[in-house]
Amino acid sequence: VYKRQSEIMSIASPLDTHPTAFPDDAATMTEAFGLAALVMRAPDGFDLAVEASYAPMLADCLARATG
């Protein structure tokens, strides 16, 4: 599962999510699918946060990326 999440994050964001560059409990502002987003490493993958008005767009992008 984690490998798939890393693949999706590499599509969504230019952020280097390798554990040595973005360790457990890391958080940063970056771009996700062209949106300003807060990315946080969670125990089971990643959490993304965007402004509420962009949430439907982010959900759609994630759905498309996961096929």
Side-chain angles (χ1 to χ4, degrees), residues 4 8-9 11-12 33 48 54-67:
R4 179 74 174 138
I8 293 166
M9 284 301 296
I11 294 167
F33 298 108
L48 296 171
Y54 293 115
M57 180 179 170
L58 179 62
D60 181 58
C61 290
L62 287 169
R64 290 171 188 251
T66 58

Side-chain angles (χ1 to χ4, degrees), residues 9 13-15 28-32 35-39 48:
M9 284 301 296
S13 174
L15 180 66
T28 191
M29 289 297 295
T30 188
E31 177 183 310
L35 303 170
L38 174 63
V39 177
L48 296 171

Side-chain angles (χ1 to χ4, degrees), residues 1-13 17 46 65:
V1 172
Y2 177 77
K3 182 179 178 190
R4 179 74 174 138
Q5 293 171 350
S6 292
E7 290 171 358
I8 293 166
M9 284 301 296
S10 71
I11 294 167
S13 174
T17 59
F46 302 93

